[in-house]
Each structure stands twice: as C-alpha cells, then as structure tokens.
RNA sequence: GUGGCUGUAGCUCAGUUGGUUAGAGCAUCAGGUUGUGGUCCUGAGGGUCGCGGGUUCAAAUCCCGUCAGCCACCCCA
C-alpha cells in the first residue's frame, strides 16, 4: 500500500514548528487585548449561501475555490475568509440591538481550493479583527495601526502599508462609468486579460502589470478626483492620522479589493522579504456587508493577517522566535538499571503532581544514552535513581550546565529542593 | 485553470559519454567509559533513485506519461 500523505495544499505542523505559530498568535492576542478587542470563534464551516451573498456569486472564491459539502438538503462550505462569519454571528446574536459597536478578533484556519505555492495553501491560518458598528475614520486609522502594532510585537521588519480609498458604493458606481468611458476607445491597445476585465472588474485594469497596458494607465482618471468631497475628506483624515502615528503608510491607488462590500479604506501590508506574493495582511472598510446580510446600515472595518506568510518573512529575517526548537522540559528522572524503571516512573509522576515538568525513560536506554538525550533536549536537572539511592532513600541530582552532582533526600521536601535548584 | 524548473537515505547533496552489490556529510541507534552528557573515536541501521510505462544486453542516467514540490501567471485574504 502506498504511503499516505496529507492532501495537497495542507501541511502538518510538527511540535518543533509550533512555537513559531504560537509566537504569532500570542503577540497578536496581547496587542488585541490592549486595544479592547475581544475574541470571537465561529464555526469552521457555514452555509454556502453566506459566502455567496457576501462575496458575490461570480467572485473567483465562490465560483471555484470553495470546499463545499452537500449532504441531503444541507449545503455548507469551509470558510474561505473570516469577515462574513463574524458579521453573521454579530447579526444572529442580535448584537446590533444589544450593543451595536463591538471590536472582535479571531484566529484560525481558512480554506480555499487553490493551486498551492509559497505562502498560499488550501488550509491557511489567519488572525484578524472586525470592528463592527461605527463609520468613524478614527476606527479606520485604529485598525491599520493595530495591525502595525501586531507586526511590531511579532518583530517583523521591512514592511509598508499600501492604502487607498475606493469611496462608497455611489462613488464607485460613478467611477466605474468614468473608467469604462476612458478605456473603451483604448481597449484594443490593452492585453487579453484587460479586455475581459473591462466588463468584469474594470478597477483591476489600473493594476495590470503587462507592459502594453502601462501608457494608458498613466493617463487614466484617478479615483480620488472623482470621489465625493466627503469621501475624500475621510480618507485624508485617516491618512494624516496614520502618518502622525508613524505608521509606514503609503498611498497606492492600485490597491483594489475584489469583493463588492468594500468601501472607503482598503489596504495591504507588504513585506519586501517575500517573493511576488508579498502581502502579509490585508483589509478595509466594508460598510455594505451588514445590510447585504440583512442587518441595519452599520459601518465596519477589519483586516486579516496571513500567519504563514508572516512566519516566512520572519524566518527570512532570521527572527529567533520562529526557529524550529525543542519543547522545554526542565527535569528528567533517569533509572540506572532495569531495577529502578518503575520507581523512576513513579517518582516522575509524583513530581508532576507537585507541578514540576518532568519526563522519564520509556525506551530502556542506558544511563549514558539518557544523558546524551538529556543534553540534546536541554534538560536542566537529571535525577538519577540507582540501587544505592533507592536503598538510602535519596536521589542524586546532576545539574547539567554546571556538571555538578547534588544528593537530596527522597522525601516530601524533594519538590521544593528541586525547585530551588532550578532557580539557581 | 496556464506556463517554466525540480524530484537519489530523515535532511543537504555527490553519482563521470547509460555499465556490475547507488555514495558522502549531518541526523538516528549501539559501543569505546557494564552509574553520568556536551568533544573525540569505532561500528550499525536506513534507498524498488517520486510513481507508471517505453528504448536497450544493461537505465538513477535517455524518451513519454503521471503525481508532488517550487517559481511565475490568473485571482485574492
């Protein structure tokens, strides 16, 4: 039988690599708590219609990237992103009536049926926030700021925030018409993709990388010039606030979100130490989504950080917290002969009952072999239990770093004595 | 979904124009020291050369297919 492997685009996170993941999650959580965001957990799958309604039935994600399960008349999909589920939970639990403004954070796996490449897999991890119930431009700035603070806490360097405003739905409808009018006479000069995009997603044309499309992009109308004064003013407020807070924010008119529910601020954090796929976080304001899902007209803004791309960037930057490493256990009980194996097992268990992290041998290894293993694992104290120790009701403790042996009575004070030795 | 590159031990890689039992370093295990680690020395285990087919007296090596990984698109958190 062929050896099994995990499905394409998924990976096992082995014990050595989990400290890196924890580093990201812990940093994120502490920044969120400082800013009064509260954790929310939604199911890993939702009714498919939630994503169809929120992302749009013709978006690529809905059309071909969802993991969908049909059983009887139940049709669910593994969540491809975190925003729609949180908004759904907000509305379902009547939070819009109880306490309309809430700041949430969440973290966990998302799923998309995509072709895997570096920083992109079929099960990927995100941490993110959704601040629901306010249209304040201060909140726009806060959300970008805390993403920046989160990356600072993680120790990431070399990144910039690329931000843009796409106005409100009205602004965008207007601009769509303006852009189409501009591009239509030039369409024959554009690449094949752009010829499709003019109908499907005309905003993407501004972001086209094909050389032949560059000249007509340079002359293209700018969104900011066609936006209502109110929309433009709120973007200016957010932008200057961020600049005064030393957030590395740059205006980038090519940032365009694919989903219809986005309004006003859209942004992406990009790290230079990644390849072509250089985004480590993305987000924006989505004032349209809550009504799309049947709720009242409330504003909301959020972002999500890609955990694995962030880890990749931290790794190339040589950040020590993300290097693979052994899990730390300070104590090890080593039997000298086969006669003490059971006693060693029981002693280890007794120490654990006193709150000490402790391991012992399960492979019938020689004492010499146990010391070699202890050294590799960074054990601090080796508790040696041989025939003589058992007879005299003592243990011999080797302090590995100092190469010193200490004999301690094996009585009710042993855990305290070991704790004292660990502290030195 | 499209295109390109790669695929030899757990890892990093050698492997001469196709030629006999496919190698090294690291890692693992055991021993040198039968109650003591980090250094050193000795030895051992581990590979149907991604998989399938073809060419050939002979294939890790050449050809085709397939799968997987990587890279770039498409698209996007």
């Amino acid at each position: 039988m062929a050896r099994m492997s995990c499905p394409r685009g998924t990976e096992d996170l082995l014990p050595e690599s989990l400290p890196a993941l924890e580093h990201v999650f812990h940093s994120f959580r502490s920044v969120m708590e400082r800013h009064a965001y509260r954790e929310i957990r939604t199911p890993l799958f939702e009714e498919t219609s939630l994503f169809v309604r929120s992302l749009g039935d013709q978006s690529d994600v809905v059309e071909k990237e969802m993991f969908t399960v049909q059983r009887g008349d139940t049709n669910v999909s593994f969540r491809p992103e975190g925003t729609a589920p949180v908004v759904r939970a907000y509305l379902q639990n009547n939070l819009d009536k109880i306490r309309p403004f809430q700041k949430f954070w969440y973290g966990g796996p998302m799923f998309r049926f995509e072709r895997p490449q570096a920083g992109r897999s079929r099960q990927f991890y995100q941490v993110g926030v959704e601040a629901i119930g306010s249209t304040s431009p201060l909140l726009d700035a806060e959300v970008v700021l805390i993403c920046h603070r989160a990356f600072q806490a993680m120790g990431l360097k070399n990144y910039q925030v690329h931000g843009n405003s796409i106005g409100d739905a009205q602004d965008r409808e207007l601009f769509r018409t303006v852009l189409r009018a501009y591009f239509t006479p030039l369409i024959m000069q554009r690449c094949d993709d752009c010829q499709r995009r003019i109908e499907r997603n005309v905003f993407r044309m501004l972001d086209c990388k094909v050389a032949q499309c560059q000249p007509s992009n340079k002359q293209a109308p700018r969104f900011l010039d066609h936006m209502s004064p109110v929309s433009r003013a709120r973007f200016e407020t957010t932008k200057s606030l961020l600049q005064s807070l030393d957030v590395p924010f740059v205006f980038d008119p090519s940032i365009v979100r694919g989903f219809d529910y986005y309004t006003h601020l859209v942004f992406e954090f990009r790290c230079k130490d990644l390849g072509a796929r250089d985004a480590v976080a993305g987000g924006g304001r989505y004032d349209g989504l809550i009504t799309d899902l049947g709720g009242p007209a409330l504003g909301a803004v959020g972002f999500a950080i890609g955990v694995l791309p962030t880890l990749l960037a931290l790794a190339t930057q040589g950040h020590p917290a993300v290097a693979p490493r052994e899990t730390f256990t300070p104590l090890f009980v080593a039997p000298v002969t086969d006669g003490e194996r059971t006693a060693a097992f029981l002693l280890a268990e007794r120490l654990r009952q006193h709150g000490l992290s402790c391991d012992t041998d399960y492979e019938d290894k020689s004492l010499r072999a146990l010391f070699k293993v202890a050294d590799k694992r960074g054990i601090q104290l080796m508790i040696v239990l041989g025939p003589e120790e058992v007879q005299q009701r003592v243990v011999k403790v080797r302090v590995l770093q100092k190469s010193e042996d200490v004999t301690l009575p094996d009585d009710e004070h042993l855990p305290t004595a070991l704790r004292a030795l660990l502290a030195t």
Side-chain angles (χ1 to χ4, degrees):
Chain A
M1 183 165 164
R3 206 144 72 137
M4 301 293 294
S5 56
C6 62
R8 186 171 193 196
T10 67
E11 64 181 327
D12 301 312
L13 297 165
L14 299 177
E16 300 77 63
S17 57
L18 280 171
L21 212 71
E22 288 298 304
H23 167 70
V24 168
F25 277 99
H26 281 148
S27 310
F28 189 76
R29 174 190 286 265
S30 73
V31 172
M32 290 312 113
E33 285 173 355
R34 204 157 67 216
H35 288 82
Y37 285 68
R38 299 186 302 152
E39 185 176 8
I40 185 170
R41 293 195 191 186
T42 64
L44 294 192
F45 55 86
E46 295 276 351
E47 286 196 24
T48 301
S49 56
L50 173 68
F51 301 115
V52 174
R53 281 173 69 180
S54 60
L55 304 178
D57 53 3
Q58 35 158 21
S59 66
D60 270 47
V61 171
V62 166
E63 271 187 352
K64 51 189 190 195
E65 292 178 359
M66 290 219 289
F67 283 92
T68 298
V69 179
Q70 172 93 46
R71 302 279 284 199
D73 49 10
T74 299
N75 187 293
V76 295
S77 294
F78 286 96
R79 60 182 186 191
E81 55 102 37
T83 301
V86 171
V87 171
R88 191 227 79 232
Y90 171 88
L91 292 174
Q92 177 178 340
N93 294 283
N94 295 315
L95 303 184
D96 55 313
K97 303 178 185 83
I98 299 167
R99 178 175 161 185
F101 180 64
Q102 303 236 22
K103 303 199 284 189
F104 302 104
W105 71 267
Y106 63 88
M110 308 288 164
F111 307 85
R112 288 192 194 186
F113 194 84
E114 290 190 284
R115 184 148 168 179
Q117 80 188 57
R120 171 204 272 187
S121 47
R122 291 182 174 181
Q123 173 174 335
F124 54 100
Y125 298 85
Q126 291 189 337
V127 288
V129 310
E130 312 295 347
I132 304 176
S134 162
T135 54
S136 167
L138 290 180
L139 192 61
D140 293 24
E142 175 174 287
V143 158
V144 176
L145 176 70
I146 60 174
C147 189
H148 173 55
R149 294 280 182 252
F151 282 128
Q152 282 182 316
M154 292 169 200
L156 189 72
K157 293 177 294 205
N158 255 332
Y159 62 86
Q160 268 193 329
V161 193
H162 292 245
N164 188 23
S165 173
I166 57 170
D168 59 23
Q170 227 177 0
D171 292 327
R172 210 156 60 250
E173 202 42 58
L174 202 72
F175 189 57
R176 202 191 311 268
T177 315
V178 170
L179 267 191
R180 286 217 179 100
Y182 168 76
F183 280 126
T184 302
L186 302 167
I187 193 64
M188 297 317 287
Q189 303 169 20
R190 304 287 298 204
C191 67
D192 293 352
D193 283 332
C194 282
Q195 308 213 357
R196 276 190 301 109
R197 284 198 269 238
I198 194 164
E199 282 310 317
R200 192 186 166 95
N201 190 349
V202 67
F203 300 115
R204 275 271 163 226
M205 292 178 73
L206 297 172
D207 191 26
C208 188
K209 290 162 196 101
V210 178
Q212 71 184 91
C213 297
Q214 298 312 307
S216 50
N217 270 355
K218 282 221 178 68
Q219 311 286 319
R222 295 170 3 138
F223 205 161
L224 280 181
D225 299 333
H226 290 80
M227 209 175 274
S228 75
V230 177
S231 294
R232 205 179 323 143
R234 71 167 294 140
F235 183 55
E236 290 304 326
T237 304
T238 305
K239 200 168 60 173
S240 63
L241 201 49
L242 286 172
Q243 276 157 358
S244 73
L245 286 162
D246 290 326
V247 178
F249 185 88
V250 292
F251 171 58
D252 182 346
S254 74
I255 301 289
V256 182
R257 303 272 90 177
F259 302 144
D260 269 355
Y261 57 66
Y262 278 108
T263 53
H264 298 293
L265 177 71
V266 290
F267 62 92
E268 225 169 71
F269 279 64
R270 292 183 184 168
C271 181
K272 295 182 186 70
D273 296 310
L274 293 173
R277 200 177 164 70
D278 59 354
V280 287
R285 177 162 277 284
Y286 47 92
D287 291 343
L289 182 58
I290 294 147
T291 46
D292 284 354
L293 295 181
L298 286 171
V301 56
F303 70 83
I305 291 175
V307 173
L308 295 181
T310 301
L311 286 176
L312 265 177
L314 286 169
T316 51
Q317 292 176 4
H319 195 288
V322 301
R325 64 168 179 273
E326 180 68 55
T327 313
F328 183 63
T329 307
L331 300 181
F332 194 99
V333 183
V336 175
T337 73
D338 286 342
E340 295 82 49
R341 294 200 185 278
T342 303
F345 176 80
L346 294 173
L347 174 56
E349 191 49 33
R350 209 176 98 217
L351 296 176
R352 291 161 179 157
Q353 287 299 313
H354 283 84
L356 291 160
S357 281
C358 183
D359 206 359
T360 186
D361 177 46
Y362 308 92
E363 297 171 287
D364 295 350
K365 280 177 183 287
S366 69
L367 189 64
R368 166 183 155 88
L370 291 178
F371 267 87
K372 287 190 175 188
V373 168
D375 193 56
K376 285 198 191 79
R377 286 177 49 178
I379 301 279
Q380 281 180 283
L381 301 181
M382 197 67 155
I383 298 156
V384 178
L385 202 57
E388 296 166 22
E389 285 82 2
V390 169
Q391 201 191 357
Q392 296 168 32
R393 311 190 69 109
V394 296
V395 294
K396 192 178 279 181
V397 180
R398 184 160 182 96
V399 186
L400 290 232
Q401 276 181 333
K402 298 184 189 166
S403 300
E404 283 173 9
D405 285 334
V406 184
T407 301
L408 296 175
D410 183 3
D411 57 19
E412 72 274 17
H413 302 302
L414 182 60
T416 315
L418 290 172
R419 248 184 249 282
L421 268 182
L422 281 174
T424 56

